[in-house]
Amino acid sequence: MRTYAKPVAAVTGALVLAATLTACDGSATASDEKVVTVYSADGLKGEAGDGWYDKVFADFEKQTGIKVKYVEGGSGEMVQRALREKSNTQADLLVTLPPFIQQAGSKGLLQSYEPKGSDQVDGADKAGDGTWTSVADNYFGFVHNKKELPAAPKTWEELLDAKYKDKLQYSTPGVAGDGTAVLIKAMHDFGGKEPAMEYLKKLQANNVGPSSSTSKLAPKVDKGELLVANGDVQMNFAQAKSMPNLGIWFPAKDGGKPTTFALPYAAGLVNKAPHTENGKKLLDFMLSEGAQREVSAIGGGFPARKDVKTTDANAIELAKLMEGVEVFEPDWADIDKNLAAYVDAWKSATGS
């Protein structure tokens, strides 16, 4: 376990592509098409077209002439969609959060490709077999309404108070990456699956109910419909620019320190992608020094490349936000192996 005390080397919408793409088998004609399709977890595309994806995709198209078609949803939702299409692949790049990127790899959805610049990505933030690489670092967190709740809660236990009844919501574990992160952090902070499920069973009395997408919760918090919700630092920091009542915080176990863990946006080239070469070009572009330097300034996140040091105003503010927060590293291999069992335990505990 380490305590975050200095700026991290780092980078870090709602446009959803509904059109069905023509079935392709990776033929020369398909590869020559000036298009690349990205399936991604939400958070990197701006609500007003002002996010990191918006800038990177526009710059990429201008430089290469290749148009980016974008499909967005929860982390688990995107993996499941790619799985359904396995015999008729539509996506070229899959970007999702752990443990879903590991899940995509173990299910054979990804092909090995080490993009330019990936040698500067820490080993924990990329697959040993080259099937995925982080493109933007990030951390799990919670948000609160600063107007209705000026002082952020400090502990998990505070959230059991009756004042949070129907004023608290977290996205669905097993469907949303940040929702799954609630389980991971609770199991860490409470010391195992059983005590975590015991707590989440109690918390259910205040929980509004399921949400497939975490990004939909922040606007509710900003408006005061909710007092507290889960999220992640990059997405919520970016949202806070247009949502003035949004504050980021990190729950602690009563008597302990606030904790979090890295929840990077990880990208993998889809196996049998219809536009493999274009997917490689976009992945290279996302990890380029120029794109990485913009992730904090534009996206409100942290660069994936350790050789890219950011000193913009956002980077400084993010470093202050992370001060004193203990960062632990989950056992992703265990989570990948036992995720279904953990989600089932959560469903049983909460009656979901």
Side-chain angles (χ1 to χ4, degrees):
M1 184 175 290
R2 60 191 173 88
T3 300
Y4 188 103
K6 60 182 181 179
V8 185
V11 153
T12 286
L15 173 65
V16 178
L17 174 71
T20 302
L21 305 179
T22 304
C24 297
D25 59 2
S27 65
T29 302
S31 298
D32 289 342
E33 284 186 290
K34 289 287 191 179
V35 65
V36 60
T37 299
V38 177
Y39 282 12
S40 179
D42 48 7
L44 289 175
K45 200 171 193 310
E47 298 286 339
D50 55 356
W52 186 64
Y53 270 167
D54 300 283
K55 180 68 162 60
V56 169
F57 293 168
D59 289 348
F60 177 73
E61 184 174 352
K62 184 177 180 180
Q63 180 174 308
T64 65
I66 299 169
K67 182 176 178 59
V68 179
K69 293 190 179 293
Y70 180 70
V71 181
E72 178 181 283
S75 290
E77 180 186 357
M78 290 294 93
V79 172
Q80 288 304 313
R81 178 166 177 168
L83 268 174
R84 290 195 301 270
E85 298 170 351
K86 200 171 180 180
S87 61
N88 181 25
T89 309
Q90 304 295 312
D92 300 301
L93 274 186
L94 177 66
V95 186
T96 187
L97 307 179
F100 296 100
I101 194 66
Q102 289 91 341
Q103 185 183 83
S106 65
K107 292 182 181 298
L109 285 177
L110 307 176
Q111 57 177 298
S112 181
Y113 176 65
E114 297 181 7
K116 296 173 185 176
S118 62
D119 59 317
Q120 293 295 331
V121 176
D122 281 333
D125 291 334
K126 60 186 177 184
D129 61 2
T131 50
W132 58 266
T133 306
S134 297
V135 293
D137 276 351
N138 191 18
Y139 296 90
F140 177 62
F142 274 67
V143 288
H144 69 106
N145 180 293
K146 294 192 294 186
K147 184 178 180 181
E148 302 293 332
L149 199 67
K154 294 185 182 300
T155 68
W156 287 102
E157 287 82 359
E158 285 181 57
L159 300 181
L160 299 177
D161 192 282
K163 74 178 181 181
Y164 293 103
K165 184 171 178 59
D166 296 329
K167 289 288 189 176
L168 175 150
Q169 190 173 15
Y170 60 91
S171 51
T172 307
V175 176
D178 290 324
T180 306
V182 172
L183 284 188
I184 295 169
K185 179 169 157 58
M187 287 192 293
H188 172 270
D189 289 0
F190 285 94
K193 183 180 77 170
E194 297 307 323
M197 298 308 159
E198 184 180 338
Y199 168 79
L200 292 171
K201 180 178 181 178
K202 295 176 184 176
L203 186 65
Q204 194 66 12
N206 289 342
N207 188 19
V208 170
S211 174
S212 63
S213 175
T214 313
S215 65
K216 296 177 181 177
L217 302 182
K220 294 180 180 180
V221 174
D222 181 62
K223 294 173 185 174
E225 295 173 24
L226 298 172
L227 290 176
V228 168
N230 69 315
D232 61 68
V233 173
Q234 176 277 324
M235 178 174 65
N236 296 142
F237 186 86
Q239 289 173 316
K241 298 300 181 182
S242 60
M243 300 179 191
N245 296 321
L246 215 57
I248 300 171
W249 67 288
F250 305 91
K253 173 76 173 66
D254 192 21
K257 293 182 178 180
T259 68
T260 188
F261 61 96
L263 206 58
Y265 291 91
L269 192 67
V270 177
N271 199 21
K272 298 180 181 178
H275 312 101
T276 293
E277 291 308 310
N278 294 346
K280 290 179 178 179
K281 289 176 183 177
L282 179 56
L283 197 44
D284 287 348
F285 192 83
M286 293 166 85
L287 269 182
S288 67
E289 284 192 46
Q292 289 283 293
R293 290 187 187 285
E294 292 177 328
V295 188
S296 57
I298 295 175
F302 308 86
R305 287 179 56 158
K306 59 190 176 185
D307 62 332
V308 174
K309 312 296 183 184
T310 51
T311 57
D312 57 86
N314 282 353
I316 293 169
E317 193 173 342
L318 284 162
K320 289 180 180 177
L321 178 68
M322 298 294 295
E323 283 179 2
V325 180
E326 290 186 345
V327 180
F328 65 91
E329 186 173 331
D331 184 345
W332 291 116
D334 170 76
I335 293 164
D336 182 36
K337 179 181 177 182
N338 297 300
L339 179 61
Y342 294 149
V343 173
D344 285 344
W346 170 80
K347 289 179 180 178
S348 177
T350 60
S352 299

